[in-house]
Amino acid sequence: AQKVTQAQTEISVVEKEDVTLDCVYETRDTTYYLFWYKQPPSGELVFLIRRNSFDEQNEISGRYSWNFQKSTSSFNFTITASQVVDSAVYFCAPCYGGATNKLIFGTGTLLAVQP
Amino acid sequence: GAVVSQHPSRVICKSGTSVKIECRSLDFQATTMFWYRQFPKKSLMLMATSNEGSKATYEQGVEKDKFLINHASLTLSTLTVTSAHPEDSSFYICSAPPLAGGKETQYFGPGTRLLVL
């Protein structure tokens, strides 16, 4: 089975701190997709990003940035100047066999941002 | 963005009864839909892939007769938990990739919380 590891089970930071959530995945595929989702207490999944394995450019979207390192199979997510509203569980999820295929969710990281 | 709805959002039932959960793509068509299950403080685990007009594909360890899936149209998939037991209590989420594609490539429903007493 292709494994996804989010080593940090829980992270607690104080508002305005930067925080990085780690994601390491295992695959023998050369082409795949990587997703990050946010799950607030309501339970609904919020899409954050989709990255293609053949595009290794890092991406920034507002306070969010992603560092994709194909050589180490890692796709880390950084929140700059964290806010209380960022408190949620964050999932990394690779997708193999096409972008519309099933997602393999990581174990998730619970981020708590304290005021 | 595209919208996927689930009904009901919450359901409480007695042990031994069956519960049907609907997943609808409201503004797009999907030949495939995915059903996930999430236990408290755990990750989402894929249960099965629902295929329009054909049988669902179940993941290893998921009982086909327990979790009946029907994908009768391009906008509706249903998951029926038969003879539910307390251990079936969980958060069930569906997702659907639109035929027309898109950046997100999959859209998730808001989930259904099932509590079996």
Side-chain angles (χ1 to χ4, degrees):
Chain A
Q2 311 207 48
K3 191 177 171 184
V4 185
T5 301
Q6 293 183 251
Q8 304 133 314
T9 304
E10 294 187 28
I11 300 177
S12 183
V13 299
V14 176
E15 210 169 15
K16 298 184 183 177
E17 282 185 28
D18 298 346
V19 59
T20 295
L21 310 182
D22 298 333
C23 173
V24 176
Y25 54 93
E26 296 177 3
T27 184
R28 288 186 289 275
D29 291 23
T30 54
T31 301
Y32 48 89
Y33 297 84
L34 297 164
F35 293 78
W36 274 93
Y37 286 89
K38 173 182 179 180
Q39 188 179 42
S42 64
E44 192 156 354
L45 289 171
V46 178
F47 168 81
L48 297 178
I49 190 171
R50 183 192 85 182
R51 165 65 69 207
N52 305 330
S53 61
F54 46 86
D55 180 2
E56 292 199 57
Q57 278 192 333
N58 291 325
E59 183 159 338
I60 298 175
S61 176
R63 295 186 297 110
Y64 297 165
S65 63
W66 289 269
N67 184 295
F68 175 39
Q69 297 288 334
K70 193 171 184 177
S71 59
T72 56
S73 298
S74 67
F75 187 41
N76 297 337
F77 171 38
T78 297
I79 302 175
T80 303
S82 60
Q83 300 176 0
V84 173
V85 293
D86 295 328
S87 299
V89 179
Y90 290 85
F91 291 101
C92 172
C95 179
Y96 308 107
T100 58
N101 207 351
K102 59 189 179 185
L103 298 178
I104 311 297
F105 282 86
T107 46
T109 297
L110 173 61
L111 173 64
V113 181
Q114 310 295 336
Chain B
V3 178
V4 174
S5 71
Q6 280 185 242
H7 178 79
S9 57
R10 292 175 180 270
V11 57
I12 301 174
C13 69
K14 292 182 179 178
S15 187
T17 60
S18 294
V19 175
K20 180 186 284 188
I21 302 170
E22 293 184 349
C23 176
R24 290 183 186 273
S25 54
L26 298 184
D27 51 0
F28 65 94
Q29 294 181 329
T31 55
T32 300
M33 292 185 178
F34 300 102
W35 286 96
Y36 296 85
R37 178 169 57 182
Q38 184 180 33
F39 291 109
K41 298 190 177 182
K42 297 292 185 183
S43 185
L44 284 80
M45 300 299 295
L46 181 70
M47 299 175 65
T49 301
S50 172
N51 304 300
E52 188 268 334
S54 64
K55 290 183 180 180
T57 305
Y58 290 82
E59 295 299 300
Q60 192 173 12
V62 178
E63 299 176 57
K64 300 178 184 181
D65 296 332
K66 173 81 172 168
F67 299 100
L68 300 179
I69 290 174
N70 184 277
H71 194 152
S73 75
L74 289 172
T75 58
L76 174 64
S77 175
T78 60
L79 168 67
T80 301
V81 183
T82 62
S83 187
H85 290 286
E87 58 265 30
D88 298 323
S89 299
S90 188
F91 188 50
Y92 293 86
I93 307 175
C94 69
S95 73
L99 287 174
K103 186 176 182 181
E104 291 188 34
T105 68
Q106 287 202 34
Y107 295 93
F108 282 84
T112 296
R113 294 193 187 278
L114 170 63
L115 176 60
V116 184
L117 301 176

